[in-house]
Amino acid sequence: MQSLIPLFLIAGAAVGVEIALTRFFAVASWSEYGYWVISIAMTGFAVSGVVMVLGRQVFLRHARWLLPALPVAMLAAGGAGWIGATLNGFNPLELQNPVSASAQLWNIALYYAALFPFFFLAGLAVSLNFVVHSNEVGRVYGYDLLGAGTGAVLALVLMFVLHPFVLVPALLPLLAIAAMISGGTRWRIAALVVLGATEAAVFGIAAPRVNEFKAIYAPMNVPDSRVVAEVLSPRGVYLLLDNFTERLDTDVSNNAGVLGVPAPPRSFGLYRDGSRIAALPNGQPAAAHAPSALDGAPYALLDAPNVLALGAAGGFRPAEALALGASHVTVIEPEPVLRHALLHGLGPSSPPAVDPRVAVSAAHPLTAAGTYDLVDIAGDFLGADDQNRNVYTAEALAGFLARLEPDGMISVPVGIREMPAYAVRVLATAREALRLAGVAEPARHVAVIRSAWNLRVLIARQPFDEARVQRLAAFADERSFDLSYAPGLPAEGREIWNDLPPIALESTSVEQTGEAQDAVAREAEQVLAGIPPQDAFDRSPVTADRPWLSPLVRLPALGAALNRIEILPQQEIGLLVNVAVLAQAIILAMVVSVLPLAARGSLRVPGPVLGRALIYFPALGLGFLLIEIAFIEHAALLLGDRTSGFALVLTTMLVFSGIGAMWAGRVAAPGRALRVAVLVAVGCSLLALVGVRPAVLAALDLPWALRAALLVVSLAPISLALGFPFPLGLDRFQHEGPALLPWAWALNGAFSVVATPLANLLGHGMGLSWLLVAGMICYIAASLSWPRNRA
């Protein structure tokens, strides 16, 4: 049993480093570029299988010294790769400039060059263990998965105490231990020497840094800027800054001076992974600016409203609501660090004083009870936490409508600084929410008020009558805001205070007419009537199955997007990264797939067997990850955090799949075991299709530990079943030719590379349910391709 412990440690180190590198990209760059890490890792695994196919006999002859040598080589390659990644001058903003893009493409290639060797060697170590222990592939695969799951947990735990910039060096000692267990005294000495030299080089040469385009870069570098508090967690690195640039980020009227209203107050700035998520009070929250703020629009239509505030804006939002006439404010702040700051303060920022008119609820926004006159979403709520996007779905808004008093309304903020089409998509979502709530004429229940940079969509339970529209128009005119849409308000012929020209990918220039324009007003009436414009942008409603406001660019419009990449906001670039990674992955998968045809003489495998293998192992590589990614998204909502959801789903599925793989090595009838495993996996997926959303909503207000336990218990059966097909297939197909074993590992890795970007595109384009459907189809295809001449 001990001979496979090094494999366990190697797998743990590989997955741990992979997760650590994705955190590095999130802090130093943008999280979208974490896809590269997954792509590089799976590419390394796939290429290692190809190399093992071609040199199987050579590797077997030298296996005795290769088994300890590979983790030592991984140790050195991991340190060198980390140094190379941190010294890379990649700047994603320059990708959007044709003049500077070529240099950034070279930097992307350098990332691959730096990180590929580590994952290639990891894949080589795993595939060598499969070849050496070819008579017990279930046990080998089980140790591989269990080690990977343990590595994911270790990386998650380390994030509570270590900055992401030191996670990779902290995980490298696992490889030294693996080498020391595999080899004799000389290898133990070599492992310690290489570990010491690698760590010395890493801490002496590596220079991880936050890129200058990140929001935190400028305020960190102004005179006398100070970090006054820091919080480390898997959710991110939180820094609280104190400098003269930090103010409450709210949209106030240009007429504030005429109105006799002061500017927004000074504050501390709270940043997570370099992005500003909130202002925290520098003293007690001030709200004298509130009457001139765009966010005050719904308060002009309601008398002493009872308010449900989603997001506290660091404590400023309840104070603003009271200043605007609210009789009572119930605050829900789901972001844990912001919630802690609201209740207990953070560093020098004190919590707001206790006020009997303000209550802080522990409920989840999607399950809040009670009835309200106003559901008021804070302006920074969407950007404060990734999971807050679930509040912007049609189903969530319909739920809020049901909690409103007869004259109540919902106030939904959306930024229009970079792309007006985001606001139009929120309007489409509002229309769908009203339709779900049984409203026959949604257009009569919506009003839109905006400034130059932000917009509020007001969704009312009752139709907007003329009196309310006039009150809203007066509020807008007095503050030089624009009423882009209200029932009975003409779209044309109005004075426009804040120019908002339309943006189209089909055109190479912004439309200029010589007069101020309102791009939202142009489309609002069409979208609320259910006939949105048909162009490069997706204006379909945001739903629980597709809970993403971005990206907006439709896949058929990728060519136009590339031609006008300089105008696209950063959240749209993630789509292009996915497409690029997918294209690369497909090329790799094709190369790996045709390899046996080129080397068929050395494989000595009949053509029909190759054909079946070409279905079986790619289907498993695709199917496992498609199902896993679907569950990660649901787990992120359940646990309130994508990092925790990712780590727990990954760990659970790897560990129980590892147990299933070990069990698979002991079954007497592999064909029957495969059919049962696929039947269980498909059955669990069908249950998830119909029941996962209600189950998640029912559990949202339970303690975190109980939600995590329920997730593990729910995933255990399908994970156990998914552990069977791969080792059963390896064992069965290698009877047709031993060289198929490393090729199968390569196929699985290559199509796993395809699965990650494919799942992201499929989920964003069609919905999470389709990931489960596609995963089921893959496993059914694998079952049908099982060789028929043996059980």
Side-chain angles (χ1 to χ4, degrees), residues 74-84 118 168 172 198 202:
M74 283 179 65
L75 177 56
W82 172 245
I83 292 171
F118 175 81
V168 170
L172 292 179
T198 299
V202 162

Side-chain angles (χ1 to χ4, degrees), residues 243-254:
N243 60 71
F244 73 88
T245 70
E246 300 293 350
R247 286 188 174 273
L248 174 63
D249 185 15
T250 190
D251 208 342
V252 295
S253 167
N254 293 329

